[in-house]
Amino acid sequence: MFDGLVLLGQGIGHFLTPEGIFNVIWATLLGLAIGILPGLTATMGVALLVTLTYGMETSQAILTLMSVYLGSIFGGSRTAILLNIPGTPASAATSLDGYPLAQQGRAGLAMGLATTSSTLGTLVGIFFLALLAPLLTEVALNFGTYEFFWLAVFGVVISGQLSGSDTPIKGYVTGILGLLAATVGMESLHAYQRFTFGIPQLGAGIDIIPAMVGAFGLAEILSQIKRQPTLLTRTVTDRVVPTLKEVFQYWKTIIRSGVIGTFVGIIPGVGEDVGAWSSYAAAKRFSKKPQEFGKGSQEGLIAAETGNNAVVSGAMIPTLTLALPGSAAAAVLIAAMYIHGVRPGPMLMIENAPFLYQVVGMLLLATLANLVFGLTLTKLFIKIVSIPQDRLMAVIAVLCVVGSFAITQRMFDVYVMLGFGVIGFLLREMRYPMAPLVLGIVLGDLLDSNLRRGLGLTNGDWTPFFTRPISLVLFLIVAVTIVLSIPPISRGLGRLLANLTRRKTVTEPSVPDGPRPKE
């Protein structure tokens, strides 16, 4: 316990330097801008910034990416409140009460409440991250080759829940495409080149950075060109900083939503939007004034913003301890960690124990920056929505090309980026999520090498994959997840549960026999 507190103090103090504070400031501001602009998601922002942080020291690079991630989730509430257009999917629930408050002339107060509740939600998630992550890591130390294989399979399976597609099957498809892309190039055990089709540049495999930049950056540009949205503007005339009473009169809602958001984040592949909606639904259920929800309820706004920001910290728990993403942006963060030499997973506490507590420090500093900028620069930041879309997309296109080329100075990487950009655009048009594609590339080597290593240890016997206790548990989880994602089964189970609930509701207790009382 004492060692953990020492590491926590060192993790926070590690970034209290001019370089660390500077990186927090500019990355948080950039994240806020990304979140405010509708169409630009936190996942896309983190993916594009990976290329700019390639030459940075590892902890400073991850600090920068984490600040952008947290700032983007927080920034999405600005346009959700002002324009009823969520800047990110995580802010959709915020618009239910935030926009009615803005229509009532209380847009500043709504954004102030969103800022403070976002900060408190993140702090609740940070508490559970510091408490639970070391414990979960100790359990995960029992994992071996067979368990790591199922862990990688589970990562691809839960990718069906990432970034809201029509059906989980679409997530599985893009996840498998990512796995196939990961098998291109020289394999790790016997140095045999696979699926290169005579192209020498493919011998080293497909680099994750140009693939990620193309799938998120270029594909988004093509999608925006097709849509060409038109935005309105709204001014803020009232005060932005709320009073302590306005915030803490809903302290039960804040704690409840923070806990719900954190544990939604722990579930791999669910995401911030589910955390927001779950917290909002729970707040409405336990509220003394549920009739005000959707009409400008401050409690509803606080619940949604607390929930979605708590997911960010909660998502770091499986991300760091199991290398399973708690959200779509966390999938990109896993790729970034591998690129910068950090291996998230069960071995993290052995190979790089201070890093876990450094992540806690990153989240604390980024949260503090969000609080300061959210309360002081709100009126300035809303002017960002007036940036012409064509100019913004032109800048992002340049970043895509430069970022893909700058790392290895190979034009081939630019072609990879273009290829994945076109593929990503076509998949988006068919409502296929992109995060599983990147996650499949990241987990592909882990799955492939552990599968072949496990079969090598047993001379081709598959039995240990299903008989070892942890492997069996992981296999059953994967199997149940796949079965429940089949639409007819999930619909049938939903109807069964609804019928059981209805029967319990309509069943009345029998009247005992005996003389009736006289009237």
Side-chain angles (χ1 to χ4, degrees), residues 46 50 53 62 65 212 331-342:
V46 174
V50 169
T53 61
I62 304 301
L65 297 175
M212 190 165 54
V332 181
L333 273 175
I334 291 176
M337 290 177 189
Y338 275 104
I339 290 169
H340 286 284
V342 176

Side-chain angles (χ1 to χ4, degrees), residues 24-111:
V24 168
I25 291 174
W26 75 262
T28 302
L29 290 173
L30 179 60
L32 286 168
I34 292 171
I36 289 172
L37 288 166
L40 303 187
T41 64
T43 309
M44 176 186 174
V46 174
L48 288 176
L49 203 64
V50 169
T51 61
L52 301 181
T53 61
Y54 190 74
M56 298 174 64
E57 189 266 331
T58 298
S59 61
Q60 295 294 332
I62 304 301
L63 169 66
T64 301
L65 297 175
M66 197 73 72
S67 299
V68 170
Y69 179 19
L70 202 61
S72 300
I73 297 300
F74 165 68
S77 63
R78 310 292 96 168
T79 46
I81 293 170
L82 290 173
L83 306 172
N84 202 23
I85 303 175
T88 60
S91 301
T94 303
S95 63
L96 292 183
D97 289 294
Y99 185 63
L101 283 171
Q103 290 179 311
Q104 297 167 15
R106 295 188 289 170
L109 175 61
M111 288 189 284

Side-chain angles (χ1 to χ4, degrees), residues 347-369:
M347 298 300 292
L348 180 66
M349 289 297 289
I350 294 177
E351 298 175 347
N352 194 359
F355 182 76
L356 173 63
Y357 296 96
Q358 287 177 6
V359 171
V360 175
M362 296 173 194
L363 290 169
L364 283 172
L365 291 176
T367 301
L368 179 61

